[in-house]
Amino acid sequence: VLIIYLNGVYLPYDQARIHPEDRGFLLADGIYEVIRFYGGRPFLQVEHLDRLQRSADAVRLPLPSRDLFSRVIDELLTTNDLLSDDGTIYIQVTRGAYTPRTHWFPAGETEPTLLIIARKSAPMDPALREAGVSAVTLPDNRWDRCDIKSIGLLPNVLAKQAAIDAGAYEAVFVRDGRVTEGSSTNIFGVLNGVIRTHPADNRILCGITRNHALRLAAAQGFEIREEALTREETFRCSELFLTSTTSEVLPITALDGRPVGTGRPGPMTQKLYEAFQDSIAENGAANPAD
Ligand SMILES: Cc1ncc(COP(=O)(O)O)c(C=O)c1O
């Protein structure tokens, strides 16, 4: 049975209990992170833990030390025999349990609830990657602190479900005529040979994979502009792709039922995906443990 970490204790998954009045459950008063591991090694962990700290600071939530996160992650990977597997580490921190329910912060009385789960994930269907995925645009009706990785994900959940109902893989949010990001991904386009993506401001979650892809693109010598694409511009892009911790770099080959470029994954997207895979391999090679 899977061993997880909850509030200082390692315990079997089916024995974990969360308080019924946890503020995460009642108010979505919490934040989270998802870190990928490949061959048992966390990928871009420092960047993810930095972002967790930024989210925590933004919502005034105290976090345990960086060292504790590293130790727990290592322990979960080892205990669950995940050292040669690929998967995800889910971290959630909420403002804890307090009675009675209030909107304001309970004065000094809550202990944050900290949950960490590491588990194996199934590899993505290679056919999906080869053909690329479809996406649909939807109005971005979220708040203006999308830079916080909040567990309050209803708009994202509804958008993703609307995409699935429309037979698509991802929902692409559009605000004031401009593409912000996907429901759980960042969106890139290639227009006139230049890679474009929304700047890392309060309108998007600044993806760790986004930043990594931008570094890889720069190393390839690709021209990059962090300037949002209008919805109209996306239809003139020769390539579109999305990035996320779980989807990596994934081509979007149809948007709102129209083919993107040739309707096949484009060469720059392909190059970036290959560079991404190389960087995963280097992540393994950098660790002398094996
Ligand atoms: C709204 C949103 N944008 C972008 C991303 C991609 O971020 P990352 O690359 O750090 O996984 C996510 C990931 O969950 C997300 O929820």
Side-chain angles (χ1 to χ4, degrees), residues 21 23 26-27 29 98-107 110:
E21 292 193 280
R23 291 175 63 94
L26 296 184
L27 302 163
D29 185 358
Y98 186 75
T99 316
R101 173 184 179 277
T102 62
H103 281 61
W104 64 84
F105 297 175
T110 64

Side-chain angles (χ1 to χ4, degrees), residues 32-34 48 51 142 149 153 156 181-186 205-210 243-246:
Y32 75 109
E33 265 304 322
V34 181
H48 281 282
R51 186 174 64 187
R142 299 172 303 160
K149 200 162 167 66
L153 289 170
N156 308 63
E181 61 180 335
S183 72
S184 62
T185 60
N186 291 109
L205 184 77
C206 182
I208 302 305
T209 321
R210 168 194 185 278
T243 65
S244 80
T245 295
T246 51

Side-chain angles (χ1 to χ4, degrees), residues 10 40-42 45 67-80 83 89 118 287:
Y10 294 95
R41 287 195 187 76
Q45 175 169 304
D67 190 49
L68 177 125
F69 284 104
S70 303
R71 272 189 286 119
V72 172
I73 288 169
D74 288 350
E75 178 64 28
L76 289 176
L77 292 172
T78 307
T79 303
N80 290 301
L83 290 176
I89 299 148
N287 188 330

